[in-house]
């Protein structure tokens, strides 16, 4: 176990996660003292895990999640007294469909995300970007709607048009990822990348050293970084790995991981 990790409330947290922990702690305290619902930004799976852990210290608070559709990966949370029952509209999320020249353009997730964040809006203002193989939709703060419509006119070289849609018109996302059980020597970042993508340890370390690997959408150049449940590893040129569970050790003392793998 990486000795740089800190145990807070029974969960393992990295030093670089402290700003988020402090921010959520302030929101929890505000919800408790004011006894009113508090809305978060879009949270990834790791951030949801941290919030779930921290809220356990508050007997009278509960967190509700919604990302625009069932099983959304990135969601907003409403932290509220246990009597509060939110409506979808309380999460203040807008859904957009991207109209583009389908005969000439072949959009992909990274291209769309780059155009959205390139408009000057932070990543935590955006939710999931989804496709059914032909149509594309994304979710964003409702308060950012006018700005996004005004700023995002192109994705890559293609002119596009954004159409605001109701949640009832959400497409069925195409899931090309696979679940696998893998055995790894350690929970180090380079060890997991090496095992999943069948690379040498030296090659996986080089990817990390050259800034081609992200943990939860933040570049991490520490090959020995400790990986935890719900972490998402993005490896440029290879794909994405989500750590769904750490199921213990095998007979030869390797860690047994249940992972979700998306290969580019």
């Amino acid at each position: 176990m990486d000795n740089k990790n800190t145990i807070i409330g029974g969960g393992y947290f990295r030093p670089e996660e402290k700003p988020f922990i402090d921010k959520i702690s302030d929101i929890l305290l505000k919800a408790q003292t004011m006894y009113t619902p508090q809305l978060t930004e879009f949270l990834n799976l790791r951030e949801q895990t941290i919030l779930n852990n921290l809220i356990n210290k508050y007997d009278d608070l509960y967190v509700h999640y919604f990302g625009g559709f069932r099983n959304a990966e990135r969601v907003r949370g409403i932290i509220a007294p246990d009597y509060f029952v939110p409506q979808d509209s309380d999460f203040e999320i807008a859904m957009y469909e991207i109209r583009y020249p389908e005969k000439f353009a072949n959009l992909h997730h990274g291209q769309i995300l780059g155009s959205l964040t390139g408009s000057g809006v932070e990543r935590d203002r955006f939710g999931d970007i989804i496709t059914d193989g032909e149509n594309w939709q994304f979710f964003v703060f409702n308060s950012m709607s006018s700005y996004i419509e005004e700023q995002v006119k192109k994705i890559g070289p293609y002119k596009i048009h954004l159409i605001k849609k109701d949640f009832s018109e959400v497409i069925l996302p195409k899931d090309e990822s696979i679940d696998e059980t893998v055995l790894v020597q350690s929970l180090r970042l380079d060890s997991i990348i090496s095992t999943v993508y069948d690379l040498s340890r030296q090659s996986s370390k080089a990817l990390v050293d050259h800034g081609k690997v992200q943990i939860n959408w933040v570049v991490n150049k520490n090959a020995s970084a400790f990986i935890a449940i719900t972490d998402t590893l993005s490896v440029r040129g290879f794909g994405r790995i989500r750590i769904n569970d750490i199921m213990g050790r095998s007979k030869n003392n390797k860690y047994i991981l249940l992972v979700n793998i998306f290969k580019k």
Side-chain angles (χ1 to χ4, degrees), residues 102-165:
E102 299 173 16
K103 291 183 179 180
F104 310 103
N106 184 21
L107 301 185
H108 57 80
H109 185 281
Q111 193 179 36
I112 296 169
L113 178 59
S115 296
L116 294 177
T117 55
S119 69
V121 181
E122 296 294 330
R123 180 66 179 101
D124 56 17
R125 267 62 172 172
F126 293 105
D128 285 359
I129 300 170
I130 59 175
T131 183
D132 58 5
E134 180 178 341
N135 303 292
W136 287 89
Q137 295 175 339
F138 67 88
F139 302 84
V140 65
F141 278 16
N142 196 46
S143 60
M144 304 298 301
S145 294
S146 297
Y147 180 84
I148 290 297
E149 291 175 14
E150 183 178 311
Q151 294 294 318
V152 182
K153 302 291 187 180
K154 293 180 69 177
I155 293 179
Y158 308 111
K159 291 184 178 180
I160 59 97
H161 186 57
L162 299 181
I163 306 295
K164 200 170 189 178
K165 293 279 189 173

Side-chain angles (χ1 to χ4, degrees), residues 159-224:
K159 291 184 178 180
I160 59 97
H161 186 57
L162 299 181
I163 306 295
K164 200 170 189 178
K165 293 279 189 173
D166 187 82
F167 294 142
S168 62
E169 299 175 275
V170 67
I171 59 179
L172 180 64
K174 184 179 181 181
D175 186 3
E176 296 182 335
S177 65
I178 57 173
D179 290 326
E180 287 189 7
T181 300
V182 298
L183 302 179
V184 296
Q185 196 68 47
S186 77
L187 295 178
R188 285 171 50 118
L189 178 60
D190 58 350
S191 177
I192 294 173
I193 293 172
S194 174
T195 300
V196 170
Y197 294 117
D198 194 23
L199 301 172
S200 68
R201 193 71 169 263
Q202 185 177 2
S203 295
S204 61
K205 186 177 185 303
L207 287 169
V208 179
D209 292 343
H210 287 91
K212 295 184 178 181
V213 177
Q214 297 179 340
I215 300 179
N216 302 320
W217 295 274
V218 177
V219 172
N220 191 302
K221 294 186 177 182
N222 179 12
S224 62

Side-chain angles (χ1 to χ4, degrees), residues 17-114:
E17 292 173 331
K18 189 176 185 301
F20 176 77
I21 293 169
D22 290 342
K23 184 177 183 178
I24 289 297
S25 296
D26 288 343
I27 294 175
L28 287 165
L29 184 60
K30 187 176 181 180
Q32 184 186 53
T33 55
M34 297 182 66
Y35 216 58
T36 55
Q38 303 295 319
L39 183 60
T40 74
E41 295 161 337
F42 279 101
L43 307 178
N44 61 43
L45 290 171
R46 176 63 179 166
E47 291 167 337
Q48 294 166 48
T49 298
I50 293 173
L51 173 51
N52 291 340
N53 188 283
L54 296 177
I55 204 170
N56 284 336
K57 296 186 294 184
Y58 298 83
D59 294 334
D60 53 347
L61 294 181
Y62 189 81
V63 58
H64 305 264
Y65 293 117
F66 183 62
F69 66 103
R70 187 177 181 183
N71 297 326
E73 187 173 287
R74 295 179 59 83
V75 296
R76 300 192 78 177
I78 291 181
I79 300 166
D82 52 14
Y83 67 80
F84 180 76
V85 180
Q87 304 297 313
D88 289 351
S89 59
D90 293 324
F91 291 87
E92 299 179 15
I93 297 172
M95 184 180 86
Y96 280 94
E97 186 161 299
I98 303 171
R99 296 286 172 84
Y100 66 101
E102 299 173 16
K103 291 183 179 180
F104 310 103
N106 184 21
L107 301 185
H108 57 80
H109 185 281
Q111 193 179 36
I112 296 169
L113 178 59

